[in-house]
Amino acid sequence: MNIADVYKAETVKECIKLLAKHKETKIISGGTDLVIKLNEGQIEGISLVDISSIKELNFVKIEGNTIHIGSNSTFSDVLNHKSIFPKSIKGFVEALESVGSPQIRNAGTIGGNICNGSPAADSIPPLIVLGAKLTIISKKRERIVDIEDFFLGKGKVDLGSNELLKSISFDIPNEDSKLNFYKYSYRNALSITLGSVAALIDIQNNIVQDIKIATGGFSAYCIREREMEELMIGKELNEENLNYLLNSAKKIVQKRIETFPNDFKVLKNITIEGALRHVIR
Amino acid sequence: MDKLNIVGKSSFRVDGIDKISGRSIYPQDIKLKEMFHAVTLRSTVPHATFTLNTEKASKMSGVVKIFTAHDVTGKNEHGVLFKDHQVFMDRKINRIGDPLALVVAETLKEAKVAMKEIEVLYNELPGVFCPLEAMNEDAPKIHGDSNIIANMKLEKGTVDFSKCDVVVENTFKVPMVEHAFLQPESAVSYIEDDKLVVISSTQYPHWDRFELSLALGLKEENIKVLNAAVGGAFGGREDITSQIHVALATKTLKKPVKITYGREESFLAHSKRHPMTIRMKIGALKDGKITAMKNEILADSGAYASWAPSVLRKAMTHSTGPYEIENVKVNAKSVYTNNPFTGAMRGFGATQVAVGYEQIIDQLAEELGISTYEIREKNILRIGSKTGTSQTMYNSVPVDRCLEAVKKEMEIIKKKPVNKDMLTGYGIALSIYGTGYGNGFPDVSSNIAKINSDGKIEIFSGFTEVGQGAKTVMAQIASEVFNTSSSNIIINCEDTDKVPDSGTAAASRQTYNTGNAVKKSCEKLKDIILNLAQKELGLNNNIGLEVKDELVYLRTLPSMEITFKDLFSKYKDELSSKGKFVAQTTQMDDLSQGAPYWPYGFNALGVKVEIDPATGRINVVDGVFAQDVGRAINPRLVEGQMDGGFVMGLGYALYEDINLVDGEIKNRKFSSYIIPTAKDMPTLKKIIIEDPEETGPFGAKGIGESVTIPAAPAILNAIYDASKVRFTKLPVTPIEFMKKFGNKYD
Amino acid sequence: MNIQTVINGKKISVNVKNDMRLLDFLRDELELTGTKEGCSEGECGACTVLIDGSPVNSCLVMAFQIDGKEVVTIEALDEDGNLNIIKDTFLEEGAPQCGFCMPGMVLSAKGLLDQNSNPTRSDVKEAISGNLCRCTGYTTIEDAILKSAKKLGGKNG
Ligand code: FES
Ligand code: FES
């Protein structure tokens, strides 16, 4: 392992100052992804800005109809507020509960999960369907980005080297909607995601009034699946329509992985079908 | 049998609290003064000749010396059966992960940095990765001029399926899997009084000492092997690894050297479970009596033989399961390839074949239209039955009792509510396991029992505590003989200088073999004590003398007594006795007929599975496990083995598979090689079946391997029951399940 | 980097190297070798310690990050009496086999029981789901944690 300098930030102000001053830095908080890469020598020679002590970014609050989560909140911190979350975001809670293990949830932060831009980050699909907004700050300015637009490529996100993700906010969906989440994995704990799907769905008299779908693991990054949504809006929730969606979803996914080996394609077909079946209900 | 006081009680583990408190010392926990650190350079291609250039690396900061094949001071070879491994490769690389060099430096960091600077030039040779192809005449050869390591046959009676009313056949494929013991390999060596001392975590310290002496060119008496705490083994620590490298470095440098593998290197360094392709054909009469079975087994031994012939023999002789079948024919082959090498792993070949015989017998029952219980009841081994090798089962054959116990409990399990959203299925499996190296091999365990100056009983035996509880079991056996608490027994087993050879902690042989040796030596020592006490107490004879709590007393006049301590002060050296036990097995004939193992252990398992029809996620949600133990020396340890063996079998059935691409292990981390977590494990009901084995210590048999065997086939049978899809290839991952379920993706 | 931290109840001020993980700092510098390394990637939980009372993988935390925090390892003195009860119960239930996972298991158990005095078996499974054990099948460990909860309930209540 090889690390140049370490700077510790206690406040947001200190942090953005440090980020402005030092190039070639990486932010470390929970460390659950970064330390593996450092230890394996995948990342070498960089400097680190440690934000794990910035308390002002560790919060969960409900203001009016909006939930705000500080980027430095660990998964466990957020889950500790489970009881004040409305039922309609159950899938968000389930997604956080499905992350790694208790140890990982106690250390890993929601901000870290988002900023890594991993294609299979568990917390992101629910946040996408909730239309979460990210508040990003640098020494010069503060800006707000739709989480959907934040991801640019595998591991690539819209975050400058001088910027810090401050918080994540989303509106509580209306009472008629429910948020379902399913993570497809090999075993019951500690498992990397084969694929995950979140759906925010409003069903009245068995008709899908509105639906938002987002997936993880079916593209270079977590994305909103508008094409799939279109197929269900206004439709009756029955086996025939569901099958139509599943078959189309497979085609949509297959198009993205045309050049991949056959085994992988089959795996993705099975995964998207199974996960969708669990969330469209 | 007399009433037992200690045997049969769940005494606490003698090493328990140290392990729980983090005080047990594994080699990685050892730090010595002026200790160097070492890292191994391993090959990254599967088949090649090569040249090394260590010049630049050896000049790097902190580097003390880089060891290669040239620096091996003895014979550059090792191996448990054949000497086909090399300490460092000198000619040809046979697999990815072959050791090429050892970098010894002042710090670990320096060693790692320098290792990157060693230049390796490979001249790649065509490799062979499929055991079937490896048998072709024109296949690349790994060692010598044939890749076939062993080709065995077994014949009993005459197999003629035309005489059967019903015949079924199938081919089963079981994967290469990993021991995944939690403690990665580590070793430390140093010089003490001109002796080379090697501390490691091994299954067999005396064998290590022997192999070290050959490779280093040292006499055995100049080497001392100390076994530190062993963080799980399961067969994966039988072939020597890290210890041979640090020993060589210390011998040359005369300084302490330490090496600790990371998880990935651990995956590369030690053996794996043999993957096998098992073709089975079985025939029965209308009434359900099985009359013929024909099996073909092909095992991939990878780049080295390790235990290949022994594993294959066990697979072959156990492929008829715990059933009496009149006519049997088996052909079994094991071949070299350029894959990772395979060797011993829990069950030692018997685990693999059970996946076949316990599924095909269910298939047969279905064809015959009888229940899975009935077919087993009709065919299981009983007292007087003969196995596939025509060995007579003369005592302790409680297969029927195991089956009955499971049948009863499964009826209760079947009455419990089912989850409507899931496919639910129930499955059972039986298994058989023959203890020991077997086949006439002189399978010796030795023990010395002594009284020490405190009047305490000390046991000296070279067995290994790998987590199974051997120390506790031996202490219980000794304390039973001496009528004292097992915590009063001092166990010495770690130091080859102090203890006699007791064979390897493998083949479920410690409780039976070493247990017998311990019991014998303790009984002899007790006789000695009684005779000396008689003399000291001035009695006419030793009738009515009893021992209890390190004291001898006269039963009719308890005030007449003498302590072991007092006896020691006078008779010191006389208070010592040796015990030796050799298991009775015979070498089989050309058609594999004979008495290859003894004793045999049995079990039965029933499970309930739930399968999510949308995703193919399979969970084992309930189960009952009945295990024949002869007699349980320590029931809690037995149950611990049952749970642990089951979960390993569950991993085999549902998750685990070494993913090889041209001989390279793609999943050599715990994030990609999936083993079960607590959330995957159901709560099993465990039933211990006691039917004392005449030749066992207090009637005990070993169970360490037996317990893992029935899990996979029982789960597969339950999956079939739930889905009507018969899976013949392990593991049944959700994706594999969905591919076949409803034939959607075939 | 100089850090102030509390390890097993003892305040220390110490220089740590930038490139040291907490796990290395504990094992190599402080010689607290009860914390084990089984995978180096947050999968096995053998390296579990408590930071400010929560179980975390010390292989995924940099040593400098414990500045201002409190770390508890398996070597900790038993200040509230809970740790010893858990350890003793692990022994009584025959939880350990090879032992390598045990320190991590005990600390995960403590992390759970400090928060939840009356856990169900599924709570217990969840709490140790980040601790792999290849030997025991987990059952005896779960039994030990459930029984510890009962004993601690008796003690505290
Ligand atoms: S060593 Fe940290 S989780 Fe395995
Ligand atoms: S006791 Fe061996 S890994 Fe848990």
Side-chain angles (χ1 to χ4, degrees):
Chain A
M1 200 180 317
N2 190 341
I3 292 164
D5 288 306
V6 173
Y7 308 100
K8 186 171 166 167
E10 303 266 2
T11 62
V12 172
K13 221 167 150 191
E14 256 177 66
C15 176
I16 52 181
K17 247 195 191 155
L18 283 165
L19 290 174
K21 192 163 153 207
H22 304 283
K23 302 281 167 257
E24 294 294 304
T25 58
K26 267 204 167 288
I27 293 175
I28 180 166
S29 185
T32 51
D33 287 294
L34 186 60
V35 177
I36 301 177
K37 292 188 181 127
L38 291 168
N39 189 48
E40 288 177 352
Q42 289 176 36
I43 300 179
E44 291 230 293
I46 53 149
S47 295
L48 298 176
V49 176
D50 180 14
I51 64 164
S52 55
S53 302
I54 303 186
K55 297 220 171 61
E56 62 189 292
L57 292 185
N58 187 344
F59 60 83
V60 178
K61 56 188 179 202
I62 304 187
E63 280 175 1
N65 196 40
T66 308
I67 295 180
H68 303 274
I69 300 173
S71 62
N72 215 16
S73 313
T74 65
F75 298 107
S76 297
D77 291 335
V78 181
L79 286 169
N80 284 339
H81 292 79
K82 202 156 100 170
S83 56
I84 62 162
F85 288 160
K87 263 230 230 44
S88 57
I89 63 166
K90 185 176 112 277
F92 176 58
V93 171
E94 285 170 3
L96 299 186
E97 283 171 341
S98 80
V99 171
S101 65
Q103 290 93 321
I104 301 279
R105 295 196 290 276
N106 288 338
T109 63
I110 191 141
N113 205 227
I114 294 170
C115 293
N116 278 330
S118 148
D122 295 317
S123 70
I124 298 175
L127 288 172
I128 291 178
V129 297
L130 287 165
K133 307 243 184 300
L134 309 179
T135 305
I136 292 167
I137 188 173
S138 67
K139 208 174 157 191
K140 295 226 175 71
R141 62 176 180 150
E142 187 166 306
R143 64 189 177 102
I144 292 180
V145 191
D146 269 353
I147 191 167
E148 217 193 314
D149 301 329
F150 185 65
F151 305 105
L152 306 173
K154 192 171 178 183
K156 277 209 196 85
V157 292
D158 176 18
L159 187 76
S161 64
N162 58 345
E163 287 185 313
L164 172 72
L165 170 63
K166 248 175 82 179
S167 63
I168 301 104
S169 314
F170 56 84
D171 291 343
I172 296 170
N174 73 42
E175 273 172 27
D176 299 330
S177 314
K178 56 183 172 184
L179 175 52
N180 294 330
F181 173 79
Y182 188 81
K183 168 170 161 173
Y184 206 129
S185 55
Y186 279 119
R187 66 178 166 194
N188 293 316
L190 265 179
S191 200
I192 39 160
T193 312
L194 292 171
S196 63
V197 182
L200 183 64
I201 183 164
D202 177 359
I203 303 169
Q204 306 289 331
N205 305 320
N206 213 32
I207 306 289
V208 178
Q209 303 293 332
D210 194 12
I211 185 167
K212 294 193 178 73
I213 301 175
T215 60
F218 296 100
S219 174
Y221 44 90
C222 299
I223 56 167
R224 174 100 177 254
E225 301 281 6
R226 290 203 164 70
E227 221 183 317
M228 298 182 198
E229 293 170 6
E230 302 284 303
L231 296 169
M232 284 312 282
I233 293 179
K235 297 275 165 59
E236 192 184 341
L237 188 57
N238 58 27
E239 195 57 26
E240 189 189 334
N241 287 335
L242 184 58
N243 275 331
Y244 185 70
L245 168 72
L246 299 180
N247 285 327
S248 313
K250 283 190 271 185
K251 282 186 200 129
I252 294 167
V253 170
Q254 291 299 315
K255 241 187 271 159
R256 296 180 196 146
I257 52 173
E258 253 164 9
T259 57
F260 284 70
N262 201 42
D263 270 7
F264 186 76
K265 289 184 187 164
V266 171
L267 181 141
K268 288 295 164 186
N269 261 342
I270 292 173
T271 323
I272 189 72
E273 184 171 3
L276 274 172
R277 256 193 194 282
H278 273 275
V279 296
I280 312 285
R281 58 187 155 85
Chain B
M1 194 168 287
D2 293 341
K3 195 177 145 283
L4 299 173
N5 297 315
I6 310 290
V7 161
K9 298 237 160 61
S10 293
S11 312
F12 294 167
R13 290 184 71 106
V14 299
D15 52 353
I17 201 69
D18 282 347
K19 284 181 167 173
I20 295 163
S21 310
R23 287 195 300 262
S24 287
I25 301 296
Y26 302 84
Q28 35 268 85
D29 303 333
I30 295 169
K31 198 167 163 184
L32 300 175
K33 269 209 192 97
E34 295 179 45
M35 180 171 80
F36 295 143
H37 296 265
V39 292
T40 348
L41 177 72
R42 292 178 182 274
S43 61
T44 55
V45 302
H47 206 197
T49 56
F50 70 104
T51 53
L52 280 181
N53 185 347
T54 58
E55 212 184 305
K56 185 169 167 212
S58 42
K59 291 193 189 116
M60 304 275 298
S61 117
V63 173
V64 181
K65 183 172 168 68
I66 297 177
F67 289 84
T68 66
H70 301 293
D71 304 298
V72 178
T73 51
K75 274 187 145 179
N76 185 9
E77 59 181 34
H78 65 89
V80 288
L81 284 178
F82 310 139
K83 302 285 169 210
D84 56 359
H85 278 272
Q86 291 196 290
V87 181
F88 296 112
M89 309 315 291
D90 65 357
R91 306 170 296 269
K92 186 168 76 88
I93 287 158
N94 301 310
R95 57 154 179 158
I96 290 172
D98 265 341
L100 307 181
L102 186 80
V103 182
V104 180
E106 279 160 26
T107 67
L108 183 59
K109 200 168 178 179
E110 287 166 327
K112 283 185 181 168
V113 170
M115 188 171 81
K116 287 196 193 132
E117 299 302 325
I118 300 179
E119 292 163 34
V120 193
L121 261 175
Y122 294 111
N123 178 15
E124 283 203 59
L125 304 167
V128 58
F129 307 101
C130 160
L132 211 56
E133 283 167 25
M135 292 191 293
N136 288 344
E137 293 233 321
D138 55 354
K141 299 294 179 296
I142 321 296
H143 306 275
D145 50 17
S146 166
N147 288 329
I148 299 176
I149 304 171
N151 185 353
M152 301 176 180
K153 61 180 176 205
L154 180 151
E155 277 183 53
K156 176 189 176 194
T158 317
V159 172
D160 179 1
F161 288 109
S162 69
K163 288 188 183 147
C164 304
D165 297 319
V166 174
V167 178
V168 292
E169 55 188 312
N170 216 334
T171 302
F172 303 92
K173 285 197 169 140
V174 289
M176 178 181 286
V177 296
E178 154 70 22
H179 308 80
F181 38 71
L182 256 270
Q183 175 223 350
E185 292 86 341
S186 179
V188 179
S189 54
Y190 57 95
I191 307 268
E192 183 183 77
D193 305 331
D194 284 341
K195 226 180 209 200
L196 178 66
V197 185
V198 183
I199 308 177
S200 71
S201 299
T202 176
Q203 286 178 249
Y204 193 178
H206 285 84
W207 179 259
D208 279 9
R209 185 177 65 177
F210 171 70
E211 294 233 84
L212 289 170
S213 81
L214 294 185
L216 269 52
L218 278 177
K219 290 204 183 101
E220 278 190 73
E221 58 256 40
N222 293 327
I223 304 171
K224 168 158 112 171
V225 173
L226 291 174
N227 211 0
V230 184
F234 316 113
R237 299 190 202 265
E238 292 191 34
D239 311 271
I240 206 163
T241 57
S242 53
Q243 50 282 49
I244 208 161
H245 292 146
V246 286
L248 176 68
T250 291
K251 183 187 176 232
T252 307
L253 302 170
K254 312 273 180 252
K255 278 279 172 60
V257 181
K258 175 175 179 176
I259 191 164
T260 301
Y261 292 171
R263 182 54 59 185
E264 287 194 54
E265 187 170 14
S266 178
F267 265 84
L268 289 177
H270 64 254
S271 71
K272 300 281 168 284
R273 187 189 285 289
H274 283 78
M276 289 184 188
T277 302
I278 304 156
R279 244 187 107 68
M280 289 187 161
K281 189 169 178 181
I282 192 164
L285 302 177
K286 262 200 216 84
D287 65 0
K289 181 74 197 147
I290 301 169
T291 51
M293 189 176 200
K294 189 176 168 224
N295 303 328
E296 273 170 59
I297 300 167
L298 177 60
D300 181 359
S301 184
Y304 299 99
S306 182
W307 288 108
S310 307
V311 169
L312 191 70
R313 186 180 303 115
K314 206 156 247 183
M316 174 180 72
T317 53
H318 286 65
S319 69
T320 49
Y323 304 107
E324 182 163 40
I325 304 173
E326 216 176 298
N327 306 291
V328 182
K329 192 170 176 173
V330 190
N331 178 251
K333 292 192 189 77
S334 194
V335 299
Y336 285 125
T337 62
N338 294 108
N339 287 325
F341 78 101
T342 55
M345 184 168 168
R346 207 176 202 173
F348 208 76
T351 308
Q352 286 93 322
V353 288
V355 171
Y357 66 70
E358 278 307 277
Q359 287 204 83
I360 205 154
I361 197 164
D362 265 27
Q363 283 181 261
L364 190 62
E366 192 175 10
E367 282 295 311
L368 285 161
I370 60 176
S371 81
T372 55
Y373 293 100
E374 193 180 342
I375 191 141
R376 287 175 171 84
E377 282 154 5
K378 284 215 161 96
N379 293 286
I380 46 176
L381 296 168
R382 297 171 192 269
I383 300 248
S385 298
K386 287 194 169 30
T387 64
T389 71
S390 301
Q391 183 168 5
T392 303
M393 299 279 113
Y394 71 90
N395 89 116
S396 188
V397 202
V399 202
D400 51 348
R401 286 176 58 200
C402 294
L403 181 59
E404 223 169 274
V406 162
K407 188 176 176 182
K408 217 170 110 198
E409 284 300 322
M410 284 303 277
E411 271 158 24
I412 299 168
I413 288 174
K414 280 185 191 170
K415 286 201 187 107
K416 293 187 197 171
V418 296
N419 182 341
K420 293 258 152 32
D421 296 335
M422 299 283 174
L423 306 170
T424 303
Y426 307 87
I428 57 161
L430 306 180
S431 86
I432 175 169
Y433 185 82
T435 308
Y437 303 122
N439 203 34
F441 184 90
D443 192 344
V444 187
S445 276
S446 317
N447 182 61
I448 300 169
K450 280 187 190 169
I451 302 300
N452 72 14
S453 54
D454 292 332
K456 290 252 157 76
I457 300 131
E458 289 202 41
I459 293 298
F460 296 83
S461 179
F463 65 84
T464 325
E465 172 60 66
V466 290
Q468 83 283 46
K471 277 189 183 176
T472 310
V473 164
M474 299 312 157
Q476 281 185 266
I477 290 173
S479 62
E480 183 67 53
V481 175
F482 285 104
N483 199 8
T484 182
S485 152
S486 53
S487 54
N488 283 337
I489 309 286
I490 298 168
I491 300 281
N492 301 278
C493 63
E494 291 92 355
D495 182 342
T496 53
D497 271 8
K498 284 200 195 147
V499 302
D501 191 346
S502 262
T504 170
S508 304
R509 55 177 293 290
Q510 288 294 4
T511 296
Y512 179 72
N513 290 49
T514 308
N516 265 321
V518 167
K519 183 164 177 271
K520 268 191 175 178
S521 62
C522 287
E523 284 167 348
K524 271 205 248 166
L525 180 59
K526 185 175 157 188
D527 282 346
I528 295 170
I529 288 172
L530 293 186
N531 290 335
L532 294 174
Q534 173 202 340
K535 206 155 106 190
E536 279 304 293
L537 296 172
L539 300 169
N540 297 331
N541 58 47
N542 65 16
I543 295 169
L545 279 179
E546 234 354 296
V547 296
K548 188 176 173 32
D549 297 334
E550 292 77 45
L551 173 94
V552 192
Y553 66 96
L554 187 61
R555 284 166 78 173
T556 50
L557 186 61
S559 61
M560 195 160 237
E561 57 165 50
I562 183 162
T563 64
F564 288 7
K565 197 171 168 180
D566 288 341
L567 284 174
F568 180 86
S569 60
K570 204 153 171 199
Y571 297 103
K572 244 192 206 134
D573 296 342
E574 285 173 56
L575 290 169
S576 163
S577 116
K578 279 193 186 131
K580 189 170 144 186
F581 180 80
V582 190
Q584 182 68 278
T585 64
T586 72
Q587 194 174 353
M588 298 186 293
D589 66 16
D590 290 347
L591 295 175
S592 298
Q593 296 297 290
Y597 310 101
W598 195 261
Y600 286 87
F602 306 92
N603 55 26
L605 173 71
V607 295
K608 172 183 179 183
V609 303
E610 284 180 359
I611 309 174
D612 179 345
T615 60
R617 285 290 318 273
I618 300 168
N619 277 312
V620 181
V621 294
D622 211 339
V624 50
F625 197 169
Q627 177 69 43
D628 154 37
V629 297
R631 182 189 296 276
I633 305 266
N634 184 320
R636 194 182 284 115
L637 289 179
V638 168
E639 290 181 357
Q641 286 294 306
M642 290 166 75
D643 281 323
F646 172 82
V647 80
M648 195 175 268
L650 183 148
Y652 195 40
L654 300 180
Y655 307 135
E656 298 180 36
D657 186 5
I658 289 284
N659 174 8
L660 290 174
V661 176
D662 290 343
E664 184 183 4
I665 303 176
K666 290 292 184 187
N667 51 346
R668 47 190 198 232
K669 290 180 180 185
F670 278 164
S671 52
S672 47
Y673 185 87
I674 305 291
I675 65 173
T677 68
K679 285 169 96 177
D680 307 303
M681 173 73 183
T683 304
L684 289 179
K685 179 167 175 104
K686 290 160 296 254
I687 301 168
I688 295 175
I689 304 286
E690 294 200 308
D691 182 354
E693 158 60 37
E694 279 174 23
T695 63
F698 301 105
K701 305 177 185 177
I703 56 149
E705 298 179 89
S706 177
V707 289
T708 211
I709 303 175
I715 293 169
L716 287 159
N717 283 338
I719 293 172
Y720 177 79
D721 186 44
S723 66
K724 295 294 165 254
V725 183
R726 176 67 62 195
F727 286 87
T728 53
K729 190 170 157 278
L730 301 189
V732 189
T733 64
I735 303 299
E736 292 305 315
F737 180 85
M738 292 311 284
K739 277 190 201 165
K740 281 201 155 180
F741 182 61
N743 278 328
K744 275 193 285 193
Y745 298 94
D746 245 2
Chain C
M1 179 168 167
N2 187 274
I3 61 166
Q4 323 279 325
T5 180
V6 179
I7 306 233
N8 294 337
K10 218 176 119 195
K11 267 195 195 145
I12 55 170
S13 164
V14 62
N15 259 314
V16 295
K17 289 187 206 125
N18 282 350
D19 59 359
M20 203 166 226
R21 300 170 302 168
L22 174 57
L23 175 62
D24 308 316
F25 177 64
L26 293 172
R27 288 181 53 85
D28 301 343
E29 303 281 304
L30 304 183
E31 300 191 13
L32 295 172
T33 55
T35 307
K36 304 296 180 197
E37 180 163 20
C39 73
S40 328
E41 54 161 350
E43 286 285 326
C44 75
C47 67
T48 301
V49 299
L50 302 180
I51 297 185
D52 292 343
S54 299
V56 298
N57 299 310
S58 63
C59 70
L60 301 185
V61 177
M62 297 305 292
F64 59 75
Q65 292 188 286
I66 59 164
D67 185 28
K69 305 214 165 91
E70 212 176 314
V71 180
V72 169
T73 72
I74 194 69
E75 290 89 352
L77 287 177
D78 189 24
E79 281 177 16
D80 51 11
N82 292 7
L83 200 54
N84 278 346
I85 290 184
I86 297 170
K87 287 184 190 168
D88 289 347
T89 316
F90 267 61
L91 181 69
E92 285 161 28
E93 290 300 301
Q97 287 188 28
C98 84
F100 203 72
C101 69
M102 280 294 136
M105 287 287 184
V106 169
L107 290 170
S108 283
K110 181 168 162 53
L112 169 72
L113 296 177
D114 286 349
Q115 300 261 314
N116 181 352
S117 57
N118 193 16
T120 61
R121 187 172 289 269
S122 95
D123 294 336
V124 170
K125 280 183 181 287
E126 182 61 52
I128 58 165
S129 64
N131 296 77
L132 294 176
C133 172
R134 191 56 155 173
C135 304
T136 64
Y138 306 99
T139 309
T140 47
I141 297 170
E142 294 164 14
D143 292 345
I145 298 173
L146 288 168
K147 194 167 155 195
S148 302
K150 284 223 179 79
K151 287 194 198 171
L152 291 169
K155 189 194 105 184
N156 299 336

